[in-house]
Structures are given as C-alpha cells and as structure tokens.
Amino acid sequence: MTNKPLSGVTGLGEIKMNTQSKVITASMPATAGITLAFITGLTLLFASGYAQANALHDAAHDARHAMAFPCH
C-alpha cells in the first residue's frame, strides 16, 4: 500500500493541474468595423422609413430579378 494522496480515482496518485489564462483585447480595426456596421444599419433604417412605398417595392423587385429569384 502506498502513502501517496489520491486524486479521487484509485491508482492515479497526486495530479497537479495547470491553468493558463489569456487576455483578449479588441483592436482598433474591430471597433471601427462594429461602428461602421452600426452606422450602416441606422442609415438603412432611416432611408427605408422616409422612402416612398413604390421606391421600396421597385428596389426589392429589382433585387429579386438580380438574384434570379422568380417573383411573378
């Protein structure tokens, strides 16, 4: 019989575990991309809010044709 402390599983003996931690920092280009996406989203939201209904329909209709999606 051995005098080693067990780790909870018989026969393994003492197990030491090491933990590594890493720090992740946001770089400036990532922040700029998020800001650009936010501004683009707001621009699209306000542009669609103030556009005429026919202009939005025609733009969606043309986009469907450009993607070869049958719409009528």
Side-chain angles (χ1 to χ4, degrees):
M1 185 154 203
T2 63
N3 292 331
K4 290 184 185 178
L6 298 177
S7 64
V9 178
T10 306
L12 288 180
E14 184 178 350
I15 295 178
K16 294 182 181 180
M17 300 186 71
N18 295 326
T19 304
Q20 294 180 354
S21 29
K22 295 182 181 181
V23 177
I24 299 173
T25 58
S27 63
M28 186 62 174
T31 306
I34 292 170
T35 303
L36 180 63
F38 182 74
I39 291 172
T40 302
L42 282 179
T43 302
L44 289 172
L45 179 67
F46 282 108
S48 65
Y50 287 113
Q52 299 292 325
N54 284 338
L56 289 176
H57 172 79
D58 292 342
H61 189 256
D62 293 342
R64 286 186 207 121
H65 281 292
M67 294 185 291
F69 185 81
C71 58
H72 49 86

